[in-house]
Amino acid sequence: MRGPAIYRGKQWKKPAGPPLTLTMDQADAVPPAIQLSAPQIFRKEGTDIALTIQPRQFGDFSGLDRSDLFVLYLIRDGFPERPFFFGRTTGGYPDDMGFGPYTVTTGLARKLMPRVPAPGNGIVAIQGEGWFDVETTRALWESVFKAPASLARRELWVDRPSAGIPFLYLRTSLVLSAALAQTGRPEEAARVRAQAERIARATQLEDVLASVSR
């Protein structure tokens, strides 16, 4: 297996069914949006997930759009047999949809869990961030992610509007540093914090450094 070392030597069960139970015609027929006049309850069978879906505002329209519906269908049909992750590039989307309490930040994604996580086994609660998988994120940061070192070597990131990806790596390093400090590893925390500071200087994101405490 050529994948990252942290994922080797494990048993990975092949899902028995498709990620969606919809046929192609049914998927094509999903409307661009549906209107909701009131919050709706969403429950996922076989898990503890039970949440209230609030209508989202799209100008004068209140409801859910097509992408929201497919997120719910994928969780309904494939989870937890198939892992489900929200990319952190989606910002607060998991929270907007109500899934926030059931997610754990892992590297550059938020992993959906079948029940509200609890501290332990590398999972910690970080103020302002929620549940955080410090061990997996540390392994990814140290041995898988190549962008942090590349970003830190840059002389200057000249296009501030395109700094979304550098921001994501910077934010990840700051939260990881805070998590390492919280779990009694100050030297590792300081090393990751130093990497964060180099990324911030290279990408003109020094103001982000104050967003997560040391």
Side-chain angles (χ1 to χ4, degrees):
M1 180 179 177
R2 298 181 180 179
I6 60 172
Y7 298 119
R8 297 175 193 165
K10 298 183 179 181
Q11 295 295 321
W12 301 99
K13 181 182 176 181
K14 183 178 180 179
L20 280 174
T21 59
L22 301 178
T23 66
M24 293 299 294
D25 287 341
Q26 289 171 332
D28 287 342
V30 174
I34 61 170
Q35 189 168 13
L36 296 178
S37 59
Q40 301 292 312
I41 302 298
F42 176 86
R43 290 187 176 87
K44 169 55 187 174
E45 184 179 353
T47 75
D48 292 345
I49 294 176
L51 49 89
T52 302
I53 303 291
Q54 299 288 343
R56 303 199 323 127
Q57 291 298 133
F58 304 95
D60 296 332
F61 181 84
S62 178
L64 299 177
D65 68 11
R66 198 169 194 261
S67 62
D68 300 328
L69 296 175
F70 274 106
V71 166
L72 296 176
Y73 294 157
L74 286 165
I75 294 171
R76 178 197 66 186
D77 295 346
F79 181 79
E81 184 179 26
R82 291 176 180 270
F84 192 93
F85 293 84
F86 296 95
R88 288 177 62 205
T89 51
T90 62
Y93 180 79
D95 304 294
D96 295 341
M97 291 292 285
F99 290 102
Y102 300 94
T103 63
V104 173
T105 296
T106 304
L108 303 181
R110 293 174 67 177
K111 183 178 182 179
L112 184 64
M113 309 298 287
R115 55 194 52 83
V116 175
N121 297 319
I123 306 298
V124 298
I126 301 295
Q127 185 175 3
E129 295 291 326
W131 297 105
F132 186 80
D133 186 338
V134 59
E135 300 302 337
T136 302
T137 302
R138 174 184 172 277
L140 291 170
W141 184 266
E142 297 286 350
S143 62
V144 178
F145 295 160
K146 304 300 182 183
S150 175
L151 290 168
R153 287 195 300 266
R154 299 182 68 91
E155 293 184 2
L156 186 64
W157 189 279
V158 297
D159 186 19
R160 179 66 180 245
S162 70
I165 295 301
F167 171 86
L168 182 55
Y169 279 102
L170 175 57
R171 186 73 180 177
T172 299
S173 62
L174 291 170
V175 179
L176 176 59
S177 176
L180 289 167
Q182 183 174 310
T183 53
R185 287 174 279 185
E187 293 183 359
E188 290 185 59
R191 177 165 52 80
V192 174
R193 175 80 188 196
Q195 291 176 313
E197 291 172 352
R198 289 195 293 271
I199 293 171
R201 288 193 296 270
T203 57
Q204 302 185 76
L205 293 171
E206 292 95 335
D207 55 310
V208 180
L209 293 174
S211 64
V212 177
S213 61
R214 291 179 182 269

